[in-house]
Amino acid sequence: MQRLLHHDDLGKLILRLAVGGLILLHGIDKLLTPASITDIGNMLEAMGVPVFLAYGVLIGEIVAPLMAILGWQARIGGLLMAGNMLVAFILVHHDELLTLNAQGGWTLELQGMFLCGALAIMFMGSGRLAMHPD
């Protein structure tokens, strides 16, 4: 039993599948709802940032999660997902950073878990159960 509980590579696989899979769903939604890219572009434009950078969300929410899920360049995928989450904090959630929800939890707990999970993938890598272990 103790050997089963000490399987770092399995833990890394579960983390990659969970974080990558859940963020990927957000990316698929953005592909199916092109107006969301326009909305992101409008937020960027209001900040004086070039609108075309809104398409970067597709890298952070489709390409990077697939990298993590497959275990191909998972550290880079983790970095891209973490960067994507930081941009989301700045663009969309900046007014919620210090707020609590009705249950007393952090309003951004989901986004915070995505950020922390992506950082964990970036620092730990894919493990051996991957397309290209790192």
Side-chain angles (χ1 to χ4, degrees):
M1 183 68 167
Q2 187 175 6
R3 286 187 79 182
L4 179 62
L5 296 178
H6 292 282
H7 200 303
D8 292 347
D9 294 316
L10 182 57
K12 290 175 185 179
L13 174 64
I14 292 168
L15 179 66
R16 291 186 357 249
L17 293 176
V19 173
L22 292 171
I23 291 177
L24 180 61
L25 293 174
H26 289 268
I28 291 169
D29 180 64
K30 285 179 180 67
L31 275 180
L32 298 175
T33 314
S36 61
I37 302 290
T38 303
D39 294 341
I40 294 168
N42 292 338
M43 287 186 261
L44 290 171
E45 185 176 42
M47 297 176 73
V49 177
V51 174
F52 76 90
L53 292 177
Y55 290 97
V57 74
L58 299 177
I59 294 170
E61 293 186 3
I62 293 179
V63 176
L66 287 172
M67 292 169 73
I69 290 167
L70 295 173
W72 178 80
Q73 300 294 323
R75 291 178 191 272
I76 295 170
L79 173 66
L80 292 170
M81 289 186 290
N84 185 74
M85 291 313 303
L86 289 174
V87 171
F89 275 100
I90 293 166
L91 285 182
V92 181
H93 303 291
H94 58 276
D95 58 341
E96 300 171 302
L97 280 174
L98 301 175
T99 62
L100 300 177
N101 62 28
Q103 294 78 35
W106 186 30
T107 304
L108 301 178
E109 58 192 17
L110 177 63
Q111 294 84 356
M113 287 294 278
F114 284 163
L115 174 62
C116 292
L119 288 171
I121 292 168
M122 181 184 79
F123 287 118
M124 292 190 307
S126 64
R128 283 187 246 152
L129 301 175
M131 177 185 279
H132 184 266
D134 61 357

